[in-house]
């Protein structure tokens, strides 16, 4: 819920990395996404990925998405799946997230990045060559 709280209002959020330990995890099973399994105990995070993107349906804004997690138990068994319930920290957990403008805000950024006329600086020389040591003309 904490990661999801950084999304919304035109912002998408995604997980870049995570580390720490969690307990009592509820996961969707990859072979049968409607089934869930509760794993009780303390598990170290191996990897965690996912995102929430803004969505609008019938004029109502919401966030769509989810997270997948891989965990390892004290016995060395690795397991994972889609997160289907709250994720409770069993130790300090660090999650690095990113967020970016989505929807209308994203389109504005794409226009500038795509080289819209006036968005780039003109070349210093009339031929367009560069005096940069890494340029092909040197």
């Amino acid at each position: 819920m904490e990661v999801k709280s950084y999304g919304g209002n035109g912002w998408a959020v995604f997980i870049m990395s995570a580390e720490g330990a969690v307990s009592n995890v509820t996961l969707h099973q990859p072979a049968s996404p409607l089934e869930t399994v509760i794993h009780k105990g303390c598990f170290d995070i191996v990897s965690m990925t996912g995102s929430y993107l803004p969505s609008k349906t019938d004029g109502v804004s919401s966030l769509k998405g989810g997270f997948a997690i891989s965990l390892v138990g004290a016995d060395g068994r690795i397991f994972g799946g889609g997160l289907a319930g709250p994720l409770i920290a069993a130790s300090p957990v660090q999650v690095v997230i990113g967020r970016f403008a989505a929807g209308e805000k994203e389109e504005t950024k794409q226009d500038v990045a795509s080289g819209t006329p006036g968005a780039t600086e003109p070349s210093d020389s009339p031929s367009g060559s560069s005096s940069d040591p890494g340029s092909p003309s040197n």
Side-chain angles (χ1 to χ4, degrees), residues 45 67 107:
I45 297 171
F67 298 119
E107 291 169 10

Side-chain angles (χ1 to χ4, degrees):
M1 293 306 293
E2 186 68 25
V3 172
K4 192 175 178 180
S5 73
Y6 286 91
N9 294 325
W11 290 96
V13 62
F14 62 96
I15 293 180
M16 297 173 68
S17 68
E19 63 180 48
V22 297
S23 64
N24 299 346
V25 180
T26 304
L27 300 175
H28 290 290
Q29 292 303 292
S32 182
L34 298 178
E35 288 184 36
T36 61
V37 174
I38 298 172
H39 298 274
K40 295 184 179 184
C42 185
F43 309 102
D44 288 324
I45 297 171
V46 174
S47 72
M48 188 167 163
T49 60
S51 62
Y52 280 99
L53 303 171
S55 176
K56 192 176 262 191
T57 305
D58 297 328
V60 177
S61 295
S62 64
L63 289 171
K64 301 260 187 207
F67 298 119
I69 191 166
S70 295
L71 302 164
V72 63
D75 60 357
R77 185 176 59 102
I78 296 176
F79 62 95
L83 201 54
L87 193 58
I88 308 299
S91 74
V93 172
Q94 180 180 11
V95 179
V96 178
I97 65 167
R99 73 179 202 165
F100 58 92
E104 294 176 18
K105 293 179 185 178
E106 182 180 33
E107 291 169 10
T108 303
K109 288 186 178 189
Q110 286 176 345
D111 289 343
V112 173
S114 67
T116 301
T120 59
E121 295 181 22
S123 173
D124 289 339
S125 66
S127 67
S129 66
S130 170
S131 60
D132 180 39
S135 69
S137 63
N138 290 335

